[in-house]
Amino acid sequence: MGDVITGLVIAGVVIILFALYTFLPELLFHVWHIGTLYHGAPGPRRVALTFDDGPDERYTPEVLQILHDLDVKATFFLVAKRAEVHPELVRLIVEGGHDIGSHSYQHRHHWSRLPFSTWRDIRHGKETLERLSGRPIRFYRPPWGAFNWFTRLACTSLGLTPTLWSARAMDWFPGSYAKEEEDRIVRAAHPGAIVLCHDAGGAEGAPTNTMTALPGAIHRLRQLGFEFATVSQMAQEWADHQKQAHQLYHGYPAPRRALIGLWSVVEFVFARWFHLQGVNEIFRINRTVWHHGPRYAAEGEDAAAGAGSAAAAAAGTGSAGSAGSAGPDSAAAGAGSAGAAAGAGVEAVPGSPARAAAANAGRTPSLIVRDGAPALELHFRNETLIAISSAADHRALVRGLRQAKDGLRDIARMLLYHPDYADIEVIAAPTLMNRGIEMLGFHVEDLPKTRENLRLQRYIRFLMGMYHPEGFRRLREGTRELQMKLVWMTREELAARTGLATKAGGADSEPGSAAERAPERA
């Protein structure tokens, strides 16, 4: 009996030690990404394509040819032992202007490696790839993204940045699934995405799916306004973003900085819970449902131009339903200012004065937004709004409106080309940041003073006080202006404003010019 207990104790100690050696660093560095690069700056619409497990004489040359033909730079995480067998492929990667990172010397899972073996493999891989490429190796991706404590320690001692991914092609399975892989890449892409692909490894023949999927995925990403970057460029942009974020709150009192730091955890959870997706430097979006009642336009009136027409009665009647899932960085968290014109040239509900006026004039009102329509809710990024509102002159407002205009064009592209948003009929947000927003084509309406909307307004005013450079003092100045409004725009209005063609029902259509098909340059 004593031997059994002793054996159980020993087994328990071994399990605990193994968990501390593997599961804990996996949680810290892979799941929570502490000290690990896995995406770039969240604003610029850039993605980094990365390729693991090569080089392979069957697949790597064809991947390089595709990237050359489409003028895309990528990053190759090479297994150094395979690179020694194919030094000519390493040279081709370098000559193509691509980045090289280390994917170890031997492709072995780090949970099965002892401390010295881990450190030796990472060092040997780095030295080998530097010798073959003639370049310093700065980025390391562990096999399967797995960590033990010495993975992290070796990277630190050797000057390597552990690098993972924020999107995966899932291209290591057997079978033929190139179209599905293409769709996965497009759906997973986001500003700053590092995309995991393979030019070797996996099931036999699996990389052929990637080679087939790449041209279509690159074309569709460019339609969505994405540019392509290397991991080193992503790392620099992320470092610049962190530096700017630190400087942004540098002059705030310590208690408010602490509050913002704690609130960032709430923002992270909110973004995950409501599936917020980054669009660019100014907007994030999430799917929702329009619950503000139907909107009508008189027959013969151009619905796409309705944002400029008058009908203040719509704003006077208000609308039904909630304000949606306005969150920690909602458009309502605008650090700036407040509402100007209400009323947007369409009526809010059946029986309203605007609809009656249309009937008296002999026009038949037409439905342009139905209650329950699929919608996108806009969320302004706090950092951008704070930077705009912190400027010393009104040029900041002009710059902000220009950024918003560019942001709306990116959203229009998403409605036109992204498969997840083909059914969206309207974009909307409850917001304090509504001064001059009608110039962008938005309808601007008062929200009814329901308990829910009043709670939402108090919540958003709290956020504004927390983030605004002037703090809660801003809420005590010009309170008449700080009224929350509902701003919205139909899919057709957005397409007309941005000049992007669209088909009825949200079907894709090709851009009308070669310039629109080509990638935009920063």
Side-chain angles (χ1 to χ4, degrees), residues 108-320:
R108 259 183 62 190
H109 202 290
H110 281 199
W111 290 9
S112 66
R113 284 190 179 276
L114 295 174
F116 181 70
S117 172
T118 301
W119 186 85
R120 181 178 57 190
D121 181 80
I122 295 174
R123 184 197 64 181
H124 191 22
K126 178 180 188 294
E127 292 174 348
T128 300
L129 291 175
E130 287 180 338
R131 173 172 53 82
L132 293 173
S133 68
R135 291 180 173 181
I137 301 299
R138 299 170 46 213
F139 302 96
Y140 175 74
R141 178 174 286 167
W144 292 280
F147 286 83
N148 63 48
W149 282 110
F150 284 84
T151 309
R152 191 70 183 85
L153 292 172
C155 286
T156 301
S157 67
L158 295 170
L160 293 167
T161 300
T163 306
L164 295 180
W165 53 84
S166 60
R168 297 187 295 178
M170 305 291 286
D171 56 352
W172 53 86
F173 299 107
S176 179
Y177 46 83
K179 180 57 179 174
E180 291 83 353
E181 181 180 339
E182 178 186 321
D183 289 340
R184 274 196 295 270
I185 293 172
V186 172
R187 282 189 160 99
H190 59 86
I194 295 178
V195 184
L196 170 64
C197 305
H198 290 80
D199 63 327
E204 181 62 31
T208 58
N209 291 292
T210 299
M211 293 185 295
T212 304
L214 263 183
I218 290 170
H219 172 68
R220 290 169 65 184
L221 289 173
R222 280 177 165 157
Q223 284 182 320
L224 288 165
F226 283 104
E227 297 175 341
F228 294 90
T230 61
V231 164
S232 60
Q233 291 171 321
M234 287 291 192
Q236 185 60 55
E237 289 181 359
W238 175 242
D240 293 343
H241 171 77
Q242 289 183 304
K243 182 178 179 181
Q244 291 168 4
H246 175 74
Q247 293 173 343
L248 197 61
Y249 305 119
H250 181 70
Y252 285 23
R256 194 140 66 95
R257 290 203 307 270
L259 180 61
I260 290 172
L262 290 173
W263 197 258
S264 65
V265 178
V266 177
E267 290 189 350
F268 176 81
V269 173
F270 176 87
R272 291 297 181 92
W273 185 266
F274 287 101
H275 305 289
L276 263 65
Q277 179 171 352
V279 176
N280 46 37
E281 288 91 342
I282 196 165
F283 287 126
R284 295 202 290 178
I285 58 173
N286 70 289
R287 286 187 68 99
T288 186
V289 176
W290 175 267
H291 282 314
H292 301 284
R295 297 295 187 271
Y296 295 88
E299 186 177 359
E301 180 178 338
D302 183 0
S309 60
T317 58
S319 57

Side-chain angles (χ1 to χ4, degrees), residues 245-432:
H246 175 74
Q247 293 173 343
L248 197 61
Y249 305 119
H250 181 70
Y252 285 23
R256 194 140 66 95
R257 290 203 307 270
L259 180 61
I260 290 172
L262 290 173
W263 197 258
S264 65
V265 178
V266 177
E267 290 189 350
F268 176 81
V269 173
F270 176 87
R272 291 297 181 92
W273 185 266
F274 287 101
H275 305 289
L276 263 65
Q277 179 171 352
V279 176
N280 46 37
E281 288 91 342
I282 196 165
F283 287 126
R284 295 202 290 178
I285 58 173
N286 70 289
R287 286 187 68 99
T288 186
V289 176
W290 175 267
H291 282 314
H292 301 284
R295 297 295 187 271
Y296 295 88
E299 186 177 359
E301 180 178 338
D302 183 0
S309 60
T317 58
S319 57
S322 71
S325 55
D329 68 340
S330 161
S337 50
V346 293
E347 60 168 333
V349 294
S352 71
R355 190 178 190 194
N360 292 336
R363 298 194 302 266
T364 302
S366 58
L367 182 70
I368 63 170
V369 182
R370 59 187 175 88
D371 203 31
L376 285 184
E377 185 168 52
L378 305 183
H379 301 258
F380 285 120
R381 291 188 182 274
N382 294 321
E383 298 88 348
T384 301
L385 295 181
I386 293 168
I388 292 171
S389 61
S390 301
D393 54 46
H394 291 292
R395 285 179 295 182
L397 178 60
V398 176
R399 185 167 60 252
L401 289 173
R402 186 181 302 117
Q403 284 182 300
K405 183 177 179 181
D406 293 340
L408 289 174
R409 185 171 179 81
D410 288 329
I411 293 173
R413 286 193 184 99
M414 294 176 75
L415 299 190
L416 185 57
Y417 297 119
H418 199 293
D420 291 342
Y421 302 114
D423 63 332
I424 295 297
E425 298 177 23
V426 61
I427 62 173
T431 179
L432 296 175

